[in-house]
Amino acid sequence: PRLLSQFFFADERVTRVVAEINGLDAELDPQQYLVLLNQLHLSQAHLLAVLERIMEECIPTQRHSRDYLVKFPEELLVDNLGNHMLFAAECLLAGTFAEVEEADRAQLRPQARNLLCSLELVRTVLREQSLSQPSSYPEPVRAVLVQFDRLFAEFELSYVSSLVAVKSPEEIYRQQEIIVLFCETVERALRLGYLTQEMIDGYEPLLMFTIPRLAIISGLLIYPEGPLSLERSPEEMSRVFSPFYNLLKKIRDLLRVLSVEELFLLERSLCTAE
């Protein structure tokens, strides 16, 4: 059950697979090479998972900030992101990486080298510690873990930034505005009886359509200075709504001519229409 013991055996698996790959002629047996390559990715993923748990146990208050993750596109925030970072670093050093421009590759290679060297040092130190005192983390162990955690985070941010357009602070703030709008919309819908707490607690599927519809009305009429403010230019709005700027103006103009009773009936119908 000790994490350092788990790390030792996870590290043994990685070492064994790497040795098999190095002893194989990929041209003579490409199928076996692909099998071993898949095993390497799986064993490295397991190794990183155990290492992550060790860092959470050993240096929980010294972890490098991961606040930058909110800037990443949602589709990148997957469970195996760390393993992909490690694979990218290895490819960059081997000169076989074509996903990024040459100028970015030149900037990323030193970071990739430092990261992989730090990982090798971590593996060495943790293996030695697992064989001597597998229940403790002396200061030299903590130091190499802190360094690895920092280098990993710095490479992750630099690498992803070279591939995709990360969200700006302004876009993150606009998304937070949308979250607030949706929360206020739900609160208002509960108060007016459009929705019930039981529907929310039971994850009623209809809410996936109802809440965004009501949020558009709320954003255009009830909270006109919020994220749906049409006093802004499309470029100043969140990318969620900016493509529909002209349509939103038409909807707002139609809503403005409704009476209170008509608006109530409209919102009530939006809670039931499919």
Side-chain angles (χ1 to χ4, degrees):
R2 290 177 295 197
L3 288 177
L4 281 175
S5 298
Q6 293 179 33
F7 182 87
F8 177 85
F9 290 107
D11 187 72
E12 283 281 285
R13 281 194 289 273
V14 172
T15 302
R16 184 170 60 251
V17 175
V18 169
E20 290 184 45
I21 291 176
N22 290 338
L24 181 71
D25 190 328
E27 294 183 358
L28 294 178
D29 196 347
Q31 187 66 32
Q32 180 62 16
Y33 176 75
L34 292 176
V35 170
L36 290 175
L37 196 61
N38 182 61
Q39 290 181 9
L40 177 60
H41 290 163
L42 292 175
S43 60
Q44 284 180 330
H46 179 59
L47 181 71
L48 288 178
V50 177
L51 180 55
E52 176 69 21
R53 292 168 59 196
I54 288 176
M55 289 190 291
E56 281 299 309
E57 180 177 271
C58 179
I59 54 169
T61 62
Q62 298 171 277
R63 299 295 304 273
H64 194 83
S65 172
R66 295 305 198 276
D67 290 346
Y68 59 82
L69 290 174
V70 301
K71 298 181 178 183
F72 291 1
E74 283 75 11
E75 60 269 18
L76 290 184
L77 300 178
V78 294
D79 292 338
N80 62 345
L81 180 60
N83 201 37
H84 183 74
M85 292 301 108
L86 184 59
F87 180 69
E90 292 168 342
C91 289
L92 281 165
L93 282 192
T96 59
F97 207 65
E99 287 190 26
V100 296
E101 299 293 333
E102 177 56 39
D104 291 323
R105 289 202 295 269
Q107 182 179 356
L108 286 169
R109 281 191 194 104
Q111 287 184 293
R113 182 179 298 106
N114 291 338
L115 172 62
L116 294 177
C117 288
S118 179
L119 177 59
E120 286 304 308
L121 179 59
V122 165
R123 291 176 64 184
T124 300
V125 168
L126 290 184
R127 281 174 63 89
E128 292 174 353
Q129 188 65 25
S130 68
L131 293 172
S132 58
Q133 294 178 299
S135 300
S136 64
Y137 301 102
E139 184 54 37
V141 173
R142 297 161 128 13
V144 297
L145 288 173
V146 169
Q147 180 188 48
F148 171 75
D149 190 47
R150 176 181 60 82
L151 292 173
F152 195 101
E154 291 174 352
F155 176 77
E156 184 174 56
L157 176 58
S158 298
Y159 169 70
V160 173
S161 298
S162 71
L163 288 179
V164 298
V166 298
K167 299 171 188 173
S168 66
E170 292 77 19
E171 178 63 20
I172 294 172
Y173 178 75
R174 291 169 192 152
Q175 289 188 344
Q176 291 173 336
E177 280 189 314
I178 295 173
I179 294 172
V180 172
L181 172 62
F182 272 55
C183 291
E184 292 176 336
T185 296
V186 171
E187 182 181 352
R188 176 174 174 270
L190 288 170
R191 187 172 65 251
L192 295 176
Y194 297 151
L195 306 176
T196 66
Q197 190 63 49
E198 290 74 19
M199 295 172 66
I200 296 174
D201 293 341
Y203 300 100
E204 173 63 44
L206 185 61
L207 296 179
M208 295 179 62
F209 302 97
T210 299
I211 294 176
R213 290 168 176 171
L214 293 177
I216 289 175
I217 295 179
S218 295
L220 293 173
L221 290 185
I222 313 301
Y223 312 108
E225 297 181 357
L228 285 181
S229 172
L230 298 178
E231 300 305 317
R232 306 175 180 179
S233 67
E235 293 74 21
E236 295 175 309
M237 297 179 71
S238 169
R239 286 180 287 181
V240 174
F241 294 114
S242 58
F244 310 104
Y245 184 82
N246 292 328
L247 177 61
L248 289 170
K249 290 183 67 174
K250 294 178 181 179
I251 294 174
R252 182 196 60 182
D253 293 342
L254 290 171
L255 292 173
R256 281 177 171 176
V257 303
L258 297 179
S259 66
V260 174
E261 293 78 11
E262 289 171 332
L263 179 61
F264 177 82
L265 290 174
L266 172 62
E267 291 185 304
R268 173 70 71 181
S269 66
L270 291 178
C271 295
T272 57
E274 297 182 0

